């Protein structure tokens, strides 16, 4: 792919589609939505409003660090606090597809309101090819696929969707992001699913359980920073296991699974052979820094038969 030509053609296409209108996009800080944000701003400048919906399911410090990446590029990010809405919608839900549906419905309700408030009639979205293929194959409904699952965004939410990256797989998105001037911390960033830590929290998604998995994800990301992998993260299992606290008391604590995979495009994946010392350090840090956790497991399943995320 000729990256320069791709950028030029998408910029003119967005410009033509939006015309004198207003557009909006939801930035999550991942490489896909970040690339779309810069493409959109190149195309229509201040006619594009960029919002960050703070759903409470992101990694630590995410809203602040995302805004800090885009400020030097002259792009203002509007942070909207919608945490309560998401936790209310996810309350009591354990089934993976129901979780995805609750997330998606709440996401588009919140975004719909942001669109209304902004007066935009176009939504720029960072859908990539793998998202579409997985949804079409019925593996799972990625939160950002609307038309493929029979939702008409124009009728349902009042906006037209523009998806400049929908023909690209991740490696090409990374090349586009780098060519758009995004820092390596973004262009080479590990994928993080749209429904965020809800995909890494088996059982009910509550603020308390998300806080546990968020801390574990940070530890895994820190300890695997030097490892060549497509994705490394932690998931909170639904079940509990018996453990011993330092005072010798029995603790029926949480269990964390660590997952680290190599993949080209997320369609297939292999577990990474992590060095034993890295695994032990992850275990030590998780059980020491998150006292509610009594067991740490390492996941060995490739994709297929497993998917990369846990829901
Ligand atoms: P799975 O779990 O389907 O994940 O093997 C494949 C890749 O997609 C990411 N993922 C998502 N990305 N919305 C997204 O934008 C989603 O709903 C979603 N679900 C999974 C996952 O992290 C992996 O990189």
């Amino acid at each position: 792919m000729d990256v320069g030509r791709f950028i030029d053609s998408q910029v003119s296409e967005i410009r033509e589609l939006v015309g004198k209108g207003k557009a909006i996009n939801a930035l999550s800080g991942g490489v896909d939505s970040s690339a779309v944000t810069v493409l959109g701003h190149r195309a229509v400048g201040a006619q594009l409003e960029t919002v960050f919906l703070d759903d409470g399911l992101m990694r630590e410090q995410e809203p602040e660090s995302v805004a800090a990446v885009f400020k030097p590029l002259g792009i203002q990010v509007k942070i909207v606090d919608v945490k309560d809405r998401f936790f209310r919608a996810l309350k009591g839900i354990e089934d993976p597809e129901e979780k995805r549906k609750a997330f998606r419905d709440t996401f588009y309700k919140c975004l719909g309101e942001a669109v209304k408030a902004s007066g935009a009639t176009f939504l720029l979205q960072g859908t990539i090819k793998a998202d579409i293929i997985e949804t079409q194959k019925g593996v799972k409904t990625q939160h950002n696929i609307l038309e493929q699952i029979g939702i008409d965004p124009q009728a349902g939410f009042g906006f037209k969707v523009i998806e400049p990256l929908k023909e690209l797989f991740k490696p090409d998105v990374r090349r586009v992001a780098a060519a758009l001037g995004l820092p390596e911390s973004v262009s080479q960033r590990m994928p993080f699913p749209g429904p965020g830590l809800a995909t890494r929290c088996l059982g009910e998604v509550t603020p308390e359980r998300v806080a546990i998995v968020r801390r574990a994800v940070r530890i895994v990301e820190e300890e695997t920073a030097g490892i060549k992998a497509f994705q490394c993260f932690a998931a909170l299992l639904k079940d509990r296991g018996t453990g011993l606290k330092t005072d010798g008391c029995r603790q029926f604590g949480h269990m964390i699974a660590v997952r680290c995979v190599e993949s080209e495009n997320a369609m297939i994946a292999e577990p990474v052979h992590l060095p034993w010392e890295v695994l032990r350090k992850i275990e030590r840090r998780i059980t020491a820094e998150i006292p509610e956790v009594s067991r740490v497991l390492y996941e060995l399943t490739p994709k297929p038969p497993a998917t990369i995320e846990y829901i």
Side-chain angles (χ1 to χ4, degrees):
M1 184 185 69
D2 180 333
V3 175
R5 196 181 287 170
F6 174 85
I7 292 174
D8 290 345
S9 74
Q10 290 307 319
V11 165
S12 26
E13 198 168 312
I14 297 167
R15 198 172 282 152
E16 199 168 301
L17 283 166
V18 175
K20 291 198 184 329
K22 256 205 102 173
I24 190 165
N25 80 307
L27 170 66
S28 70
V31 60
D32 308 340
S33 65
S34 297
V36 163
T37 301
V38 182
L39 276 177
H41 278 271
R42 276 211 188 162
V44 297
Q47 286 164 261
L48 174 66
E49 179 174 316
T50 295
V51 295
F52 180 99
L53 296 177
D54 185 3
D55 55 19
L57 301 166
M58 302 274 182
R59 286 178 273 209
E60 271 177 16
Q61 301 292 317
E62 197 76 353
E64 299 75 13
S65 56
V66 168
V69 164
F70 284 87
K71 205 168 172 207
L73 300 174
I75 298 173
Q76 220 192 328
V77 180
K78 186 173 163 189
I79 298 172
V80 188
D81 183 351
V82 282
K83 294 189 204 75
D84 290 350
R85 306 261 302 259
F86 279 84
F87 283 116
R88 241 182 287 137
L90 288 161
K91 198 171 166 36
I93 300 179
E94 297 202 356
D95 178 79
E97 276 297 301
E98 274 181 41
K99 258 183 212 172
R100 286 180 170 274
K101 185 174 181 314
F103 179 89
R104 189 177 58 237
D105 290 351
T106 313
F107 183 85
Y108 282 100
K109 248 182 231 149
C110 294
L111 190 56
E113 288 169 18
V115 175
K116 253 204 189 124
S118 73
T121 48
F122 295 91
L123 171 73
L124 258 69
Q125 184 137 273
T127 318
I128 69 169
K129 199 158 186 166
D131 300 339
I132 296 178
I133 294 173
E134 298 269 86
T135 301
Q136 281 168 343
K137 281 199 312 197
V139 176
K140 58 179 76 171
T141 48
Q142 305 268 345
H143 83 287
N144 46 358
I145 306 297
L146 293 174
E147 286 167 46
Q148 286 81 2
I149 53 173
I151 296 175
D152 174 357
Q154 183 83 63
F157 303 101
F159 48 73
K160 228 189 174 83
V161 176
I162 304 175
E163 297 170 312
L165 309 176
K166 69 169 186 261
E167 296 300 331
L168 307 189
F169 281 112
K170 208 60 130 191
D172 281 335
V173 179
R174 294 194 192 287
R175 292 170 60 208
V176 169
L180 286 168
L182 283 161
E184 212 168 84
S185 60
V186 175
S187 69
Q188 292 308 317
R189 193 158 200 199
M190 245 185 244
F192 187 73
L197 298 172
T199 66
R200 298 177 181 176
C201 204
L202 296 176
E204 193 180 4
V205 181
T206 62
E208 297 73 29
R209 302 190 82 236
V210 168
I212 292 173
V213 77
R214 178 179 288 123
R215 279 184 282 165
V217 164
R218 176 174 49 77
I219 292 170
V220 173
E221 287 187 356
E222 284 173 2
E223 295 305 325
T224 55
I227 304 266
K228 189 183 164 297
F230 182 75
Q231 253 172 307
C232 295
F233 60 90
L236 174 64
L237 302 185
K238 184 183 163 189
D239 218 341
R240 290 183 178 238
T242 298
L244 286 174
K245 283 196 180 169
T246 42
D247 59 6
C249 285
R250 176 180 172 279
Q251 178 197 31
F252 198 43
H254 287 290
M255 299 203 278
I256 289 284
V258 176
R259 183 131 170 88
C260 188
V261 295
E262 196 40 301
S263 176
E264 271 288 308
N265 54 25
M267 302 293 292
I268 56 171
E270 276 294 318
V272 173
H273 189 144
L274 281 184
W276 186 244
E277 310 76 62
V278 174
L279 285 167
R280 291 305 306 272
K281 175 105 185 277
I282 290 173
E283 172 276 312
R284 272 198 305 277
R285 282 196 59 195
I286 291 179
T287 48
E289 295 173 32
I290 318 173
E292 301 95 318
V293 175
S294 58
R295 286 173 189 238
V296 179
L297 318 171
Y298 187 56
E299 145 105 65
L300 297 177
T301 330
K303 173 181 179 175
T307 55
I308 295 177
E309 302 290 343
Y310 272 68
I311 72 161

